[in-house]
Amino acid sequence: MTLDLSGITSKAAIHQLFKEQLGFEDWYGPSWDAFWDSIVAIVEMPPVLTLTNWEEFARCCPRDMQILQQVVRDYNEEMAPKRIVLA
């Protein structure tokens, strides 16, 4: 599965995209802790989730991008063979 992050320039926008595209619960809010809980225990993640065109998000939200990169590293380690790829 590929998610295109083109035009995503805020934390709220990226979390809304994740909620809609990955089928997160209605109660899901824009929180990295909620994101982690959702991807490891609540929704069935695809074998590979590829995030493309993330550079604009990284420029607009550098701290959130750092958190996302750490989440990706942790997910890839803990949930192997499933993985998230920043392409």
Side-chain angles (χ1 to χ4, degrees):
M1 173 182 220
T2 299
L3 293 183
D4 183 355
L5 303 186
S6 294
I8 301 294
T9 59
S10 71
K11 179 180 177 179
I14 198 169
H15 283 284
Q16 186 63 36
L17 178 73
F18 289 148
K19 179 179 179 177
E20 292 171 1
Q21 297 299 313
L22 297 174
F24 291 173
E25 299 290 330
D26 288 340
W27 52 259
Y28 178 81
S31 148
W32 292 112
D33 289 334
F35 178 71
W36 177 259
D37 292 344
S38 294
I39 64 174
V40 300
I42 298 172
V43 299
E44 181 62 36
M45 290 288 285
V48 177
L49 173 63
T50 302
L51 304 177
T52 62
N53 301 311
W54 50 265
E55 296 84 359
E56 184 177 16
F57 176 72
R59 279 192 304 278
C60 293
C61 304
R63 178 69 184 124
D64 285 297
M65 187 65 200
Q66 289 177 339
I67 295 168
L68 176 58
Q69 288 171 321
Q70 185 61 55
V71 167
V72 167
R73 284 190 293 272
D74 292 346
Y75 181 85
N76 291 347
E77 182 178 309
E78 292 189 31
M79 301 303 289
K82 290 186 178 183
R83 60 194 168 104
I84 299 172
V85 177
L86 295 170

